[in-house]
Amino acid sequence: MKCSIPEAFRGSISEGQSAKKFLEEIEQYFAKNEKVETSNLLAKLISMKYKGKGNIREYIMEMSNLASKLKSLKLELSEDLLVHLVLISLPAHFGQFKVSYNTQKDKWSLNELIFHCVQEEERLQRDRIESAHLTSTSQNKKRKKTKGAAEGTS
């Protein structure tokens, strides 16, 4: 990939223009790109949604990584704000978990949030497995009753 910076500044140095002035112009060019990058990173961070696929720890770390990139671009988000952004991005089946957090007096650090989210995700998975097992068990019992009744009437 060719860098277009030289083309952008080709012919922009006139006789008598100082190198300092030229470097200031280059700096402004990159500052504009930092604004675009900041906007893109922020848009990605606030639009992220956890879909329940993959590892929730990795998902939260990805959000934290975006916040770190924003910090390097001089847009620092507080840890409290990041915790709330993560909570907002969780799906509806984390609703009870969110209510539980919001009713507590204590605020969680990002590491505490990760710990609790991993626990909650494991609990939700266990509940789904138990629910699926109960459903299949009750369907098998219905089939046996229906089959037994049909055999008894013939």
Side-chain angles (χ1 to χ4, degrees):
M1 184 173 138
K2 260 187 161 179
C3 184
S4 61
I5 296 168
E7 293 170 18
F9 291 100
R10 188 170 293 160
S12 64
I13 299 178
S14 59
E15 285 185 42
Q17 183 182 20
S18 70
K20 182 179 179 185
K21 174 88 171 138
F22 178 68
L23 290 174
E24 286 172 359
E25 288 175 10
I26 291 176
E27 186 177 336
Q28 287 176 353
Y29 177 82
F30 282 109
K32 290 177 185 173
N33 285 344
E34 284 181 11
K35 289 178 188 175
V36 170
E37 187 176 357
T38 300
S39 291
N40 290 340
L41 289 170
L42 191 55
K44 184 175 181 182
L45 180 65
I46 62 175
S47 67
M48 285 180 72
K49 298 288 180 202
Y50 182 65
K51 296 179 178 55
K53 296 175 183 167
N55 184 326
I56 195 162
R57 176 176 300 160
E58 290 174 10
Y59 169 78
I60 296 170
M61 293 307 297
E62 182 181 349
M63 289 187 80
S64 178
N65 185 37
L66 288 173
S68 294
K69 288 179 180 179
L70 286 167
K71 183 178 180 179
S72 73
L73 293 167
K74 298 173 184 68
L75 179 63
E76 188 167 357
L77 306 176
S78 71
E79 189 172 36
D80 286 348
L81 178 58
L82 186 55
V83 165
H84 282 281
L85 286 173
V86 170
L87 289 169
I88 290 166
S89 74
L90 297 177
H93 59 269
F94 278 85
Q96 189 177 6
F97 175 76
K98 293 180 199 181
V99 169
S100 175
Y101 173 76
N102 288 327
T103 57
Q104 292 180 18
K105 288 183 182 179
D106 295 334
K107 292 182 179 181
W108 291 340
S109 68
L110 192 61
N111 286 333
E112 288 171 318
L113 177 66
I114 291 170
F115 173 78
H116 291 296
C117 282
V118 168
Q119 281 188 321
E120 180 67 6
E121 186 174 51
E122 289 171 354
R123 185 190 70 76
L124 289 169
Q125 286 174 348
R126 278 193 310 272
D127 288 354
R128 271 186 245 134
I129 291 168
E130 288 174 14
S131 176
H133 177 70
L134 288 173
T135 302
S136 68
T137 304
S138 66
Q139 286 176 349
N140 286 341
K141 286 181 182 177
K142 284 180 186 176
R143 286 185 192 131
K144 286 180 183 177
K145 285 181 184 178
T146 307
K147 187 177 178 183
E151 288 174 355
T153 57
S154 48

